Amino acid sequence: MVNFLTATDAAATGGMMSTVIMMVAMLGIFYFMLIRPENKRKKEAEQMRASVRKGDKITTIGGIIGTVVDVKENNIVIETSADQVRVEFAKWAISSNETAAENAKAEAKKAEEAKAKAKAAKKAEK
């Protein structure tokens, strides 16, 4: 009977250990699949909002599209139409910066073309 009790205790300890391992694995999955990407997106959005300059074409979270006229510490003023309607928004209300996105695409295209030229030149040397 003593052997039966010790075998049960060992099985319970092993079962508890596997439960702890599964919980740690689930926490790791949540961190890498949910928390980390969300923090990365927040950091990129904050960086985009901090880099807004006069003349950039932006879209707000409400869908208003305009050109930045003035940048203040926590606010921006945008011009929304040909009638030169100016509206002031908080910086956190910026959804996207089309000017910065277009510049990034142009730089990526130039880098890709330079890489292709280098590859072609390397092939020509052989």
Side-chain angles (χ1 to χ4, degrees):
M1 183 148 208
V2 174
N3 289 338
F4 177 71
L5 291 176
T6 49
T8 311
D9 290 341
T13 305
M16 188 176 211
M17 184 62 98
S18 66
T19 303
V20 169
I21 291 172
M22 288 299 292
M23 292 295 283
V24 169
M26 286 176 57
L27 287 172
I29 290 170
F30 278 130
Y31 176 76
F32 285 106
M33 298 292 283
L34 299 172
I35 298 169
R36 190 170 175 225
E38 182 63 27
N39 287 342
K40 187 176 179 182
R41 269 185 243 120
K42 284 181 183 178
K43 188 175 181 180
E44 288 172 354
E46 186 62 36
Q47 185 179 20
M48 179 268 303
R49 290 178 181 125
S51 67
V52 170
R53 286 184 242 113
K54 190 175 180 178
D56 286 352
K57 186 173 182 180
I58 63 163
T59 302
T60 66
I61 58 174
I64 298 172
I65 300 171
T67 306
V68 177
V69 177
D70 188 24
V71 179
K72 300 175 184 175
E73 186 175 334
N74 294 320
N75 298 326
I76 58 165
V77 177
I78 65 171
E79 195 170 276
T80 60
S81 66
D83 294 336
Q84 296 181 343
V85 176
R86 292 184 179 195
V87 183
E88 186 170 352
F89 288 98
K91 274 191 177 180
W92 60 264
I94 300 172
S95 173
S96 63
N97 186 343
E98 284 82 23
T99 306
E102 289 171 5
N103 291 343
K105 283 181 184 179
E107 287 179 22
K109 188 175 180 181
K110 285 180 184 178
E112 188 176 311
E113 288 173 357
K115 187 176 179 182
K117 285 180 183 179
K119 189 175 181 181
K122 191 173 184 181
K123 257 187 177 180
E125 288 177 5
K126 288 181 180 181

